[in-house]
Amino acid sequence: MKIETLFIDRSIPRDEEVDYILSRLAPAPQTVDSSRVVYDHINQAADPILTAKKTLYITRNRGAVIKECPGTCEYTCCDYTILHSGTFCTMDCSYCILQAYFHPPVLRYFAGLDMLKQALDRVFKQEKIFRIGTGEYTDSLIWEPVSLLPRFLVDTFSGQDNCLLELKTKTVHIDSLLGLDHNRNTVLAWSVNTPEIIRSEEKGTASLSARLKAAQKAEAAGYPLAFHFDPVVIYPGCETGYLRVIRSIFTHVNPENIVWISIGTFRFMPKLKPIIEQRFRDSTICYGEFIPGLDNKMRYFKPLRLSIYQAMVSEIKRIAPDVFVYFCMEDREIWQKTMNFFPENDGELGCLLDKSAARHCGLNNRYLK
Ligand code: SF4
């Protein structure tokens, strides 16, 4: 984490958590009474998005700590729960939706492990399974080298039996987690892509081979694993590339330890396109056969999606028939023509994921619907 400017909210108490993060970052913190100072610093920069990636604001989450994932009703969604622990990212993927999502984008760390614990304790008391992730508005593990948060979460989730924590990343920052007593309630998950796409579109992220070696280390430490092919990008030779990545996953880790693999082709809100064109002049990711989807995002023309999905799913099933594979935000036809089934009913995909979670993790089967 290369932070050049560090702001801290005056209302944050100086405790072990805050002292830890400050001790790991070079710049002296500037105490602010209002987030306006942070916003102005970012907005006045020549490249606000790049500046935001080097400016950390330690503050408190004043909204909901735990919330449902905002999937769209037009596509099958997986009933995921988001733990809102921070925003934005220090890595720089051309396609990152967060560039267009926050105005301005701000790299925020939400201090307050006590508050987080209280919110989680309420969820731990419920009689149902929750799949909870921190990787929706940030990368879950960019924080590991500088904060106590990932360790705290793994420890906290280890002592209950109805919630799975998924830490999703493109980094290899897992060292402080390896020795923890996780009770198999934390899934370490990697977003994966072809080496070509990682090189051209995922600036600052770990290479594919480094990610897979980290997954191997996590497996040796007893963690359940997950992999997310998102976004799958269509380019000449992509099918060969993605099939190679699939084979590589299975030469590194045992399919029995994989809780799920998700696949989703590249899709984007139209307002992301000018940002990509301006910030990533060599990127061709937005140019292809796209059509607007039901959620107003641009998606590859369906026959293109279908073809790459069919190739990828059949390769996964050939090597590891029991690994649960699902699509992120896809429709009936894609499911039906690729998987031969469609999770039609409300909550059906969520139930299937819960079952896979219960099979691989330390969750109690009695919470299954
Ligand atoms: S790693 Fe994820 S959050 Fe970070 S820039 Fe890339 S897409 Fe965005």
Side-chain angles (χ1 to χ4, degrees):
M1 188 175 270
K2 292 184 188 117
I3 298 302
E4 290 175 359
T5 312
L6 179 56
F7 293 104
I8 182 163
D9 185 332
R10 191 181 298 282
S11 71
I12 299 295
R14 286 290 289 265
D15 57 11
E16 189 194 351
E17 179 191 12
V18 172
D19 285 344
Y20 187 90
I21 195 163
L22 293 180
S23 73
R24 269 150 184 83
L25 295 169
Q30 301 174 43
T31 304
V32 295
D33 291 308
S34 153
S35 47
R36 174 57 44 205
V37 180
V38 185
Y39 295 165
D40 287 349
H41 171 77
I42 291 168
N43 280 331
Q44 285 158 13
D47 183 344
I49 293 174
L50 198 61
T51 302
K53 288 178 179 291
K54 297 175 188 165
T55 304
L56 177 61
Y57 180 33
I58 303 172
T59 183
R60 190 171 277 282
N61 183 358
R62 291 180 169 82
V65 179
I66 294 177
K67 49 190 181 188
E68 284 176 18
C69 179
T72 53
C73 48
E74 290 85 0
Y75 295 98
T76 310
C77 90
C78 63
D79 300 323
Y80 202 59
T81 301
I82 297 169
L83 184 63
H84 201 20
S85 58
T87 59
F88 212 41
C89 185
T90 47
M91 296 178 280
D92 203 7
C93 303
S94 62
Y95 54 76
C96 181
I97 183 71
L98 301 180
Q99 301 173 97
Y101 195 82
F102 299 110
H103 301 281
V106 181
L107 182 65
R108 286 180 298 179
Y109 175 84
F110 295 138
L113 298 180
D114 47 345
M115 209 170 84
L116 209 54
K117 177 84 171 65
Q118 283 167 19
L120 284 170
D121 281 344
R122 286 192 289 274
V123 184
F124 294 159
K125 285 195 188 114
Q126 298 191 33
E127 296 276 309
K128 62 174 276 207
I129 288 182
F130 288 85
R131 287 165 280 106
I132 302 177
T134 57
E136 195 67 19
Y137 300 117
T138 183
D139 179 284
S140 299
L141 291 177
I142 52 165
W143 306 103
E144 188 267 352
V146 298
S147 92
L148 296 170
L149 176 72
R151 265 166 276 180
F152 166 83
L153 289 175
V154 173
D155 278 340
T156 305
F157 274 74
S158 75
Q160 49 77 48
D161 66 358
N162 70 316
C163 295
L164 168 153
L165 169 68
E166 184 175 34
L167 297 176
K168 201 189 293 182
T169 192
K170 289 187 186 119
T171 74
V172 292
H173 300 321
I174 56 166
D175 286 352
S176 69
L177 309 182
L178 294 176
L180 300 180
D181 182 11
H182 50 78
N183 201 16
R184 286 186 73 82
N185 283 345
T186 296
V187 175
L188 292 185
W190 276 269
S191 297
V192 285
N193 223 308
T194 63
E196 292 79 12
I197 293 299
I198 292 174
R199 244 190 329 269
S200 64
E201 310 293 337
E202 299 184 348
K203 223 160 89 187
T205 66
S207 67
L208 176 67
S209 88
R211 291 180 213 181
L212 295 181
K213 278 185 196 135
Q216 212 166 33
K217 266 164 85 178
E219 181 184 47
Y223 281 94
L225 307 171
F227 295 94
H228 298 281
F229 284 89
D230 199 353
V232 167
V233 180
I234 294 180
Y235 62 94
C238 63
E239 187 175 311
T240 311
Y242 284 107
L243 298 191
R244 215 176 268 151
V245 179
I246 290 167
R247 291 192 282 270
S248 200
I249 288 175
F250 294 116
T251 57
H252 282 81
V253 301
N254 186 335
E256 281 175 18
N257 289 316
I258 299 178
V259 187
W260 45 64
I261 295 178
S262 77
I263 314 180
T265 48
F266 177 49
R267 55 211 175 275
F268 61 97
M269 295 189 294
K271 66 180 175 181
L272 187 61
K273 189 172 174 188
I275 297 176
I276 298 177
E277 285 173 329
Q278 200 210 336
R279 296 199 61 240
F280 301 92
R281 290 175 193 265
D282 295 334
S283 174
T284 54
I285 196 166
C286 292
Y287 310 120
E289 291 183 64
F290 291 102
I291 48 157
L294 297 168
D295 54 0
N296 293 323
K297 286 185 186 161
M298 303 301 288
R299 289 175 145 70
Y300 290 117
F301 189 46
K302 198 181 277 189
L304 296 176
R305 290 177 7 234
L306 197 53
S307 161
I308 190 79
Y309 284 143
Q310 284 174 332
M312 291 177 72
V313 171
S314 73
E315 188 64 355
I316 295 170
K317 293 291 169 197
R318 183 183 71 77
I319 305 172
D322 295 332
V323 170
F324 188 75
V325 183
Y326 69 99
F327 294 122
C328 194
M329 295 287 147
E330 272 303 350
D331 62 18
R332 170 192 289 270
E333 190 184 350
I334 293 279
W335 276 88
Q336 204 67 54
K337 289 188 173 164
T338 310
M339 308 271 202
N340 285 327
F341 88 102
F342 173 61
E344 179 149 26
N345 302 322
D346 207 21
E348 193 174 341
L349 176 58
C351 283
L352 293 171
L353 288 160
D354 288 350
K355 275 191 191 131
S356 191
R359 190 154 67 89
H360 291 90
C361 305
L363 306 186
N364 195 321
N365 278 333
R366 79 186 168 92
Y367 301 117
L368 287 173
K369 280 187 217 149

